[in-house]
Amino acid sequence: MARRSLLVAFLLLQACGATRLRALPDPADQPDQGQQTITTRLDDATVTVEVEAWRHRPRRLADDYLPFRVVIVNQSRGPVILHLAKVSLLDDHARAHRLHDPEEVVSLMLGGSSLLPFVPSIGFEATGPEPTIFGLELGFHFNPEADLRDIRQLAFPRKPIPPGERAEGFIYFPKPPRDACRLTLLLPLDTPSRQQELSFSYAIDR
């Protein structure tokens, strides 16, 4: 019973803590019905930003960070560049929050307490001709790096997007302060026709 109670507490801890965002699109943009995705169509590119999109490992990433999924389709005859070093997130108190490099996120999670050293497992009892399941246990897990590899592999690529191609991936920000109610994501984008800064606004639902 004690093991089962510990497992339930562990799963509840995994499910709570994430900051939920609701898209506040500009009238010219195209939101989805769930208010999680905003699509902006330019003359030579289409840019889509999605929140609540992290369904990878570690699941608890969204407890401490804000992962935005960015998709850019280059519809021009030249390269399109998202300047990741200049991407920023502003809150309604005029505070700018810096984008975290994927390696920085991995390093911070390895150095903190975001990853617990055990995972649920199933135990077996071999008292008869065939093993029977007798309950849930906690199995220990000694490779935290494996749980963090999606942060690197799914990050938005830094290279220019060639004509006719598509790039997608996550960008990572720290969780906003508790007094913040709105956020604006700023994406500086270079296309063959011009340089521009696209904005995507969100309300914070607590």
Side-chain angles (χ1 to χ4, degrees), residues 27-75:
D29 296 331
Q30 298 179 2
D32 68 331
Q33 291 185 349
Q35 293 186 294
Q36 295 180 345
T37 303
I38 302 175
T39 298
T40 298
R41 301 187 184 280
L42 310 173
D43 292 338
D44 39 20
T46 299
V47 181
T48 299
V49 177
E50 182 182 2
V51 296
E52 312 294 335
W54 184 262
R55 300 174 185 89
H56 312 281
R57 294 192 303 174
R59 296 299 298 271
R60 292 192 66 236
L61 174 72
D63 291 352
D64 300 312
Y65 297 91
L66 284 179
F68 292 84
R69 180 174 174 266
V70 178
V71 180
I72 300 177
V73 179
N74 183 355
Q75 300 162 324

Side-chain angles (χ1 to χ4, degrees), residues 100-189:
H100 280 344
D101 182 270
E103 292 296 335
E104 184 179 7
V105 175
V106 169
S107 178
L108 289 171
M109 295 196 75
L110 283 175
S113 56
S114 295
L115 294 175
L116 298 180
F118 52 80
V119 294
S121 64
I122 298 176
F124 293 87
E125 182 181 12
T127 56
E130 295 185 6
T132 57
I133 298 174
F134 69 85
L136 294 172
E137 291 186 341
L138 293 178
F140 283 88
H141 177 40
F142 295 100
N143 187 15
E145 281 276 1
D147 280 337
L148 299 173
R149 62 181 175 222
D150 285 350
I151 297 174
R152 297 187 183 99
Q153 293 177 355
L154 299 177
F156 193 90
R158 291 186 172 274
K159 58 186 180 182
I161 306 167
E165 294 194 14
R166 161 193 177 114
E168 64 179 275
F170 286 91
I171 58 177
Y172 309 103
F173 285 93
K175 285 182 66 174
R178 291 199 61 82
D179 61 345
C181 297
R182 293 185 58 163
L183 297 172
T184 300
L185 176 67
L186 301 177
L187 300 181
L189 195 71

